[in-house]
Amino acid sequence: MYAPDFLSGFLLGLSLIIAIGSQNAFVLKQGLKREHIFFVCLFCALSDAILISAGVGGFGAVTARYPHIVDVAKFAGVVFLLGYGLQSLYASVRLSQSLTVEGQVVSSLKKALLLCFGFTWLNPHVYLDTLVLVGMVSTGANSKVVFAAGAVSASFFFFFALGYGARLLKPLFAKPKAWNTLDALVGILMLYLAWHLYQS
């Protein structure tokens, strides 16, 4: 009876997170480096679950009434993306054997989760997508709970597939130069997203 609600929530949730963005690029890189993949994917998925639940529960009305909340997140997001983008570009010009998968210097779990927190919670678009958009679409569902479950399931499916599926690209990143290229692309992407966020 509620299967269409679950499917609608799943497809909506998947469509909102499947686009390449700062968070997905970070998860992909963690998957390639094989660093704290489970916890990074779990953090992203649980963050989405909290935001989706709040959106379906009606928190979208709060952000609509107090838009300055989104403005604060926007400013913080621009600063964070600029900083990480410049750091990635700097890393791209260094040639080190530690950039190979086997010799990759493992960062701490705390640092990985702090970065993940920034990419997730300092992105104002995530509030618009989950709190507002998902919240609005859920009003047409027969069961908001089932709809939310579908959207949450999409997040868990996507992030864990991205994180653990990244290892299939391991042969491509067997050389340090490939990591330099990835760092350069990630840096450019972050700076573009910061500019796009500033202009929005």
Side-chain angles (χ1 to χ4, degrees):
M1 180 179 179
Y2 295 117
D5 289 337
F6 183 90
L7 183 61
S8 295
F10 186 90
L11 292 176
L12 177 63
L14 197 61
S15 67
L16 291 176
I17 61 175
I18 203 168
I20 295 298
S22 56
Q23 185 188 50
N24 293 349
F26 178 71
V27 174
L28 176 64
K29 191 171 182 180
Q30 290 300 114
L32 287 168
K33 294 193 297 181
R34 308 178 101 171
E35 287 183 11
H36 316 299
I37 307 172
F38 176 80
F39 292 104
V40 167
C41 294
L42 183 64
F43 182 91
C44 291
L46 287 178
S47 296
D48 268 10
I50 292 171
L51 291 165
I52 289 169
S53 299
V56 172
F59 191 72
V62 176
T63 57
R65 185 168 182 177
Y66 302 102
H68 65 276
I69 295 176
V70 177
D71 293 333
V72 172
K74 176 180 175 180
F75 174 77
V78 168
V79 173
F80 179 79
L81 290 172
L82 275 175
Y84 191 83
L86 293 174
Q87 180 184 4
S88 294
L89 287 178
Y90 173 72
S92 72
V93 298
R94 293 181 301 168
L95 188 61
S96 170
Q97 293 301 316
S98 65
L99 288 175
T100 59
V101 176
E102 291 77 9
Q104 181 70 33
V105 176
V106 179
S107 62
S108 68
L109 175 61
K110 180 180 178 181
K111 180 180 178 181
L113 292 181
L114 283 174
L115 286 170
C116 205
F117 176 87
F119 287 125
T120 304
W121 293 91
L122 295 182
N123 177 11
H125 292 124
V126 76
Y127 299 104
L128 297 175
D129 288 346
T130 56
L131 296 180
V132 180
L133 184 58
V134 174
M136 286 191 305
V137 176
S138 70
T139 59
N142 293 316
S143 172
K144 285 188 174 184
V145 174
V146 174
F147 181 89
V152 169
S153 297
S155 291
F156 274 87
F157 169 78
F158 177 80
F159 285 119
F160 278 93
L162 180 63
Y164 284 98
R167 67 181 57 188
L168 298 176
L169 299 174
K170 179 181 176 180
L172 181 64
F173 288 88
K175 297 181 179 180
K177 189 173 182 179
W179 283 98
N180 290 114
T181 302
L182 178 63
D183 281 326
L185 292 175
V186 168
I188 293 171
L189 174 64
M190 298 304 160
L191 295 182
Y192 167 77
L193 290 172
W195 173 253
H196 180 72
L197 186 57
Y198 174 77
Q199 291 292 320
S200 65

